[in-house]
Amino acid sequence: MTKTAKAKSIRRQRRKTKTVGRPVKRMVKASDKPVKRPRGRQSTVAALAELKRRLLEISDLNFAGAVLSWDQATYMPPGGAAARGRQGALLSKLAHERSTDAALGRLLDALEPHGEELPYDCDEASLIRVARRDFEKAIRLPSDYVERASAHSSASFTAWTKARPANDFAAMRPFLEKNVDLSREYAGYFAPYRRVTDPMIDDYDAGMTTASVQELFTALRRELVPIVGAICDQPAADDDCLRGIFAEARQLDFNVAVVKRLGYDFERGRIDKTHHPFCTKFSAGDVRITTRVNAADIGEALFSTVHESGHAMYEQGVAAALAGTPLGSGTSAGVHESQSRLWENVVARGRGFWQHFYPQLRSSFPEPFRNVPLDAFYRAINKVQRSLIRTDADEVTYNLHVMMRFDLELDLLEGRLAVKDLPEAWRARIAADLGIAPDDDRDGCLQDVHWFSGGIGGAFQGYTIGNILSAQFYAAAIKAHPEIPHEIARGEFDTLHRWLVSHVYRHGRKFEPNELIARATGAPMTIGPYLEYLRGKYGELYRLPATL
Ligand code: ZN
């Protein structure tokens, strides 16, 4: 499945505002200057209006940059690349200038007492709190670091696009070594920390630490490994029916009909074609998805389109009042991914979903599915197998791919693993976890763009957190509305969508992930519902022993 660049656009966009920019007088905190407290209600109103005006400018600059990136990934001819890179960098620099402006800090200082008097969860208090957190992070990074890191990551990405197809790890080694150094330096600006990856994890999944992710992963891994083993010991599911010739236009029509039905709003969105599907946002009224159609494989575009529409529905569901502020987008990488996974895996790889949609799929593609009953199709789209490529992995083995990357990047950054030994360490780990190993580095440590196009650390754990949370949110929705599975089997998704809007989407970034999860599900993040989901679904599909 084409999951490489999924919905990173939104995530990257947010990170960019924190990490890319111009000379900042480092460590000069806004509070070093005299604070003018707004006196009286009128000046508080004026200060808030000024804060919102400044934040809207930052948001507009970032969204303008997103339009340029989207165009580059969809319609721009190759000749536009150099100028587009320059234009995007300029917009990032302007946004960062505004994000680190001392006047913004002084406004936040002045408004803080007002924010503390308001109820914690009201829009204004949340805005002051979150804008303060973003500001404090942005001013930690010196501009020369930002410029060096940005230049290195774009050179490294360009080199990777050639080195991966050529299976040339040696060419990437110096880039990766420098990336390890730059990532350690990045962490250093956020010292003190307990583990070097803590600051990066906090960027993507606020409130989590290396230790808390390790604890979560250890617990999940203990339960998951025997399930993977029991499934993979059985004959593989037959998924031949998903391969053949499926006309592109028909696939697109079918996929558009599906995501419309799920609740993706085309009045405020659209679909275009790209190489690596992603979701991006230009404003509250314009949240776009992209897709890639493989005429030889019906599953690729279908599940990838549903995945991106999950990200997009989250963004479309943020309350209108939060638009144009730092609260106006999803709260973290993991919670964002939980929404793409919920719609892609829990809903669209479920039997109920296909009770409704399979007849329609068959009428769009009568020949390939003529002799394929619903149960055989359901089994095919949930095939589990040991595989080398993370983005092609099924939902059961996927987490093992993520955990190994998480551990390897920690080893690299903490000095237990040298970059030159990475290919071997990769082979040893995947052999131990999945019982297979790649013949070359193209399908080994060169496969993911993450380590070669940005910092190392923080970007992988969100995928597995997303899987865990997808089941936890879904279970909470079912508890509130037990009729949801029956509705899905009738092609009705309103109740589920509305529950997600009201408990997750509308809050935007008002709450940190842990707060949001507890409010929505009544419990902290837990692996229980996810394991129950996997055991229920795959236990039936593969007739697993009840003791697993
Ligand atoms: Zn995603």
Side-chain angles (χ1 to χ4, degrees):
M1 228 64 25
T2 50
K3 290 186 185 123
T4 319
K6 293 213 159 151
K8 297 274 172 42
S9 199
I10 284 168
R11 208 179 301 161
R12 243 183 243 142
Q13 203 174 299
R14 176 155 4 113
R15 205 173 185 198
K16 238 189 219 170
T17 65
K18 293 174 184 166
T19 58
V20 180
R22 67 138 197 169
V24 180
K25 286 206 174 135
R26 208 161 70 69
M27 306 307 179
V28 176
K29 287 211 170 183
S31 49
D32 294 346
K33 300 205 176 179
V35 174
K36 277 192 207 145
R37 294 251 149 87
R39 284 167 211 275
R41 188 172 146 63
Q42 218 172 3
S43 44
T44 302
V45 170
L48 256 174
E50 173 63 6
L51 177 69
K52 286 184 183 168
R53 188 193 66 76
R54 284 173 174 271
L55 294 172
L56 182 61
E57 275 191 2
I58 296 168
S59 159
D60 280 344
L61 284 166
N62 285 324
F63 284 144
V67 178
L68 295 189
S69 304
W70 167 85
D71 175 66
Q72 184 162 17
T74 49
Y75 297 108
M76 191 189 80
R84 187 54 53 87
R86 193 182 64 235
Q87 292 153 355
L90 174 62
L91 285 170
S92 299
K93 182 179 121 172
L94 293 173
H96 189 72
E97 276 176 13
R98 280 165 170 73
S99 307
T100 55
D101 189 334
L104 178 62
R106 287 196 295 277
L107 262 180
L108 288 165
D109 284 344
L111 282 165
E112 212 157 64
H114 172 65
E116 280 161 10
E117 281 165 15
L118 296 169
Y120 176 84
D121 57 358
C122 79
D123 289 356
E124 275 183 13
S126 304
L127 177 65
I128 295 166
R129 185 173 66 241
V130 172
R132 157 67 69 191
R133 203 166 60 220
D134 289 353
F135 178 77
E136 293 300 332
K137 275 198 168 186
I139 60 170
R140 291 264 195 145
L141 283 177
S143 66
D144 82 289
Y145 171 81
V146 170
E147 280 164 21
R148 276 186 287 122
S150 169
H152 178 69
S153 92
S154 95
S156 173
F157 173 73
T158 307
W160 175 78
T161 58
K162 298 184 184 90
R164 191 193 172 203
N167 187 36
D168 189 355
F169 179 78
M172 290 319 293
R173 188 179 147 185
F175 286 101
L176 201 51
E177 283 168 346
K178 191 163 174 193
N179 237 338
V180 169
D181 290 342
L182 284 166
S183 297
R184 286 182 183 139
E185 187 183 340
Y186 179 88
Y189 296 120
F190 296 91
Y193 49 76
R194 291 192 63 181
R195 304 290 293 270
V196 66
T197 36
D198 284 351
M200 284 83 103
I201 289 174
D202 193 68
D203 284 346
Y204 286 90
D205 293 291
M208 299 221 57
T209 61
T210 309
S212 65
V213 174
Q214 278 178 324
E215 193 184 329
L216 188 73
F217 283 7
T218 305
L220 181 61
R221 193 183 156 80
R222 195 182 304 131
E223 305 290 327
L224 205 54
V225 168
I227 299 177
V228 169
I231 294 175
C232 291
D233 284 348
Q234 299 189 34
D238 177 359
D239 64 350
D240 283 353
C241 65
L242 304 179
R243 288 178 246 303
I245 298 167
F246 303 92
E248 180 176 318
R250 268 192 195 191
Q251 284 198 51
L252 281 169
D253 287 349
F254 182 80
N255 297 347
V256 165
V258 166
V259 297
K260 242 183 207 168
R261 189 89 194 175
L262 296 178
Y264 175 54
D265 178 2
F266 278 83
E267 287 296 310
R268 300 188 293 142
R270 55 176 284 138
I271 297 187
D272 294 273
K273 287 195 292 172
T274 190
H275 292 296
H276 299 284
F278 61 93
C279 164
T280 187
K281 181 177 189 178
F282 307 150
S283 71
D286 192 350
V287 183
R288 303 188 185 190
I289 60 177
T290 55
T291 193
R292 176 176 69 187
V293 180
N294 180 350
D297 184 332
I298 185 86
E300 271 192 36
L302 172 63
F303 292 109
S304 151
T305 308
V306 173
H307 181 101
E308 299 309 337
S309 78
H311 285 298
M313 285 190 277
Y314 187 0
E315 290 297 323
Q316 288 184 332
V318 176
L322 308 181
T325 77
L327 305 180
S329 66
T331 190
S332 69
V335 174
H336 233 297
E337 197 66 10
S338 78
Q339 294 315 299
S340 53
R341 303 280 163 149
L342 188 154
W343 290 103
E344 177 196 352
N345 288 334
V346 182
V347 174
R349 285 185 208 270
R351 192 197 297 273
F353 179 92
W354 288 105
Q355 276 170 16
H356 175 75
F357 279 111
Y358 194 51
Q360 296 179 32
L361 185 74
R362 276 179 135 171
S363 72
S364 291
F365 301 97
E367 200 43 50
F369 297 115
R370 187 177 305 281
N371 296 315
V372 182
L374 171 63
D375 273 355
F377 177 76
Y378 172 60
R379 204 171 151 80
I381 59 170
N382 287 294
K383 179 178 183 174
V384 176
Q385 61 187 337
R386 305 177 198 275
S387 63
L388 293 172
I389 306 294
R390 176 185 61 88
T391 54
D392 294 339
D394 56 84
E395 61 176 330
V396 184
T397 57
Y398 190 94
N399 300 298
L400 297 177
H401 290 267
V402 171
M403 291 174 191
M404 94 176 228
R405 283 155 179 77
F406 182 82
D407 290 343
L408 287 173
E409 63 188 14
L410 198 57
D411 288 345
L412 284 169
L413 289 172
E414 293 189 332
R416 288 181 297 274
L417 175 64
V419 167
K420 71 175 170 55
D421 299 325
L422 178 63
E424 207 37 59
W426 184 286
R427 272 189 281 276
R429 176 67 186 261
I430 197 163
D433 277 13
L434 283 161
I436 48 171
D439 296 331
D440 58 27
D441 297 326
R442 182 176 23 216
D443 290 342
C445 66
L446 284 176
Q447 70 178 264
D448 294 306
V449 66
H450 306 57
W451 290 342
F452 304 100
S453 69
I456 296 173
F460 280 111
Q461 78 282 338
Y463 295 114
T464 285
I465 292 173
N467 283 334
I468 293 168
L469 289 177
S470 66
Q472 188 169 345
F473 285 129
Y474 186 73
I478 300 278
K479 199 172 166 200
H481 300 283
E483 69 277 19
I484 285 174
H486 310 286
E487 292 182 355
I488 289 177
R490 295 198 300 268
E492 295 163 15
F493 304 93
D494 259 14
T495 309
L496 174 61
H497 192 185
R498 271 190 282 112
W499 187 90
L500 290 166
V501 169
S502 117
H503 292 83
V504 181
Y505 302 173
R506 73 186 168 96
H507 298 304
R509 282 180 77 213
K510 272 172 81 166
F511 306 117
E512 285 207 353
N514 292 336
E515 293 175 275
L516 181 80
I517 296 159
R519 279 169 181 261
T521 70
M525 177 166 34
T526 164
I527 58 174
Y530 182 53
L531 287 167
E532 205 173 306
Y533 160 74
L534 288 180
R535 286 189 175 116
K537 178 173 174 178
Y538 291 93
E540 186 210 319
L541 271 167
Y542 287 89
R543 298 199 175 82
L544 299 180
T547 48
L548 263 181

